[in-house]
């Protein structure tokens, strides 16, 4: 949790004893416990409210799939670029796009890059540049 190990917590506790002193330490410890109870109660209230508002679907949601730590931006972009709309061909892909898409792909899955013919102008979007 937050990169805190037992050693670090022990050091923080010893520092708290020296800085606060034995007279004020029990009061601050009880305030910390009250804060933790309040935060836990707020989290439980929020969960109950979500369950009430979402109804029975709340238990059916796969919360692990929605964890932002599991998203890989490279995979998302690669999937978006490789999923061409029906009827379009992948040969219209620019070399830079193909290179960006092919990062991390096995050789047999990489798109083929077709070089421009002599005198052919590279495609670009005049509104985007």
């Amino acid at each position: 949790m937050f990169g805190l190990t037992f050693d670090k917590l022990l050091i923080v506790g010893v520092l708290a004893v020296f800085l606060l002193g034995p007279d004020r330490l029990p009061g601050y410890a009880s305030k910390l416990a009250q804060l933790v109870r309040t935060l836990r109660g707020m989290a439980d209230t929020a969960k109950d409210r979500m369950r009430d508002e979402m109804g029975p679907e709340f238990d059916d949601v796969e919360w692990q799939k929605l964890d932002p730590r599991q998203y890989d931006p490279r995979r998302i972009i690669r999937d978006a670029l490789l999923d061409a709309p029906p009827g379009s061909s992948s040969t219209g892909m620019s070399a830079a796009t193909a290179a960006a898409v092919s990062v991390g792909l096995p050789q047999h899955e990489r798109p083929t890059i077709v070089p421009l013919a002599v005198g052919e102008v590279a495609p670009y979007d005049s509104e985007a540049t």
Side-chain angles (χ1 to χ4, degrees):
M1 173 177 88
F2 305 116
L4 294 177
T5 61
F6 180 74
D7 299 337
K8 292 178 185 177
L9 289 175
L10 183 65
I11 291 172
V12 169
V14 170
L15 285 174
V17 168
F18 282 119
L19 293 176
L20 298 175
D23 297 335
R24 293 186 290 173
L25 188 61
Y28 283 109
S30 66
K31 286 182 183 181
L32 178 64
Q34 182 181 5
L35 175 69
V36 169
R37 280 192 299 269
T38 303
L39 291 176
R40 186 173 290 156
M42 290 172 70
D44 289 340
T45 303
K47 185 189 272 187
D48 291 339
R49 185 171 176 187
M50 283 288 293
R51 183 170 279 124
D52 290 342
E53 290 183 9
M54 287 184 67
E57 297 102 28
F58 182 79
D59 295 326
D60 296 337
V61 174
E62 296 180 26
W63 296 107
Q64 293 296 328
K65 287 176 58 177
L66 300 175
D67 186 7
R69 294 174 291 185
Q70 294 182 355
Y71 290 117
D72 181 17
R74 291 175 293 185
R75 182 186 52 81
I76 293 170
I77 291 172
R78 181 177 60 231
D79 292 345
L81 291 175
L82 288 179
D83 289 342
S88 66
S89 65
S90 63
T91 58
M93 191 181 306
S94 69
T97 305
V101 169
S102 65
V103 171
L105 286 178
Q107 184 66 30
H108 66 278
E109 292 181 10
R110 293 184 183 171
T112 58
I113 300 174
V114 180
L116 295 175
V118 177
E120 185 179 3
V121 180
Y124 69 95
D125 185 5
S126 61
E127 295 177 2
T129 56

